[in-house]
Amino acid sequence: MLNKLFKYEIKATARIFIPLYITLIIFSIINKIFNTFPLESGINIKGLFGIIRLFIYFGLVIGIQVITLVVQIQRFYKSLLGDEGYVMFTLPVKPWQHILSKLFTSMIWITLSGLSTVLSILIIMPNDAFIDLTKAIPQGMSEVSHLFGSGTFLIIIEAIIFSILCMATGTLMIYAAIALGHLVKKHKILASFGMYLGLNTGAQSIMIIFMIVIGSLYLKNFSNLSIHIQIQTFLLSSLAYFSIIIAGLFILTKYILDNKLNLE
């Protein structure tokens, strides 16, 4: 059933994001064409046209990021705590499955929004800069491989997991804040915003405590460790921290949906 929920979420949101990504890429290609083959016109007209294209491009990039956040909030709130909640909770599906389906969907669109932005930058990038970048990337990877040796692959895997956990933490913190805010009888949106600030502050406090504990264990000999072990320690500590926060936020959200849900 989780698979069906996930497919439903993807279909419901794809019609919003796919056209945005296509628009961004097409506009980036148009920008590239105009930059490669500039119009034969006065300097003022060319400059004005370039500024307009720049504003439109940045508007699209920022708009995609904002819409990603808005849809992320809207899908959780309306589908589970709004009018659609009556329908969703009549399905033979556990609340944790609803949470996971929306979490996975949000993380996919966050990733694709970032990748589409990076792709658009690569498209409009001047040819010389693009060639330099294609040369710099292998050189950088070679230096990283030389620095970490046989541990390079493990570092890369841990960095990818770190990024995934960061996305999951941010998304679940929004879900938990919305669920907590829904417990308030009035001004639910304002309450959700306040809950988010509270949860964020709590997470930062836990991070400080976590850093103090880790520091007390490793700080004395940390400077004597190799750069590989230092980065490994940082990544593993971060993975442990984010795993704890994710578990706490997920359990909190699930508990509210299980026991405190009020759709009236």
Side-chain angles (χ1 to χ4, degrees), residues 243-255:
S243 297
I244 293 171
I245 298 299
I246 287 171
L249 293 171
F250 183 85
I251 291 171
L252 174 62
T253 307
K254 178 181 178 299
Y255 174 79

Side-chain angles (χ1 to χ4, degrees), residues 21 32 42 90 92 101 154-155 165 172 177 247-248:
Y21 298 154
K32 181 69 172 181
T90 57
S101 67
L154 181 60
I155 291 289
L165 293 184
L172 283 173

Side-chain angles (χ1 to χ4, degrees), residues 140-154:
M141 292 300 297
S142 177
E143 291 179 4
V144 170
S145 179
H146 177 74
L147 181 62
F148 298 119
S150 58
T152 302
F153 180 74
L154 181 60

Side-chain angles (χ1 to χ4, degrees), residues 3-23:
N3 186 43
K4 292 182 179 179
L5 277 176
F6 178 67
K7 289 181 179 179
Y8 170 77
E9 284 296 318
I10 290 293
K11 289 180 180 178
T13 50
R15 62 173 179 264
I16 299 173
F17 290 107
I18 298 302
L20 286 174
Y21 298 154
I22 293 174
T23 301

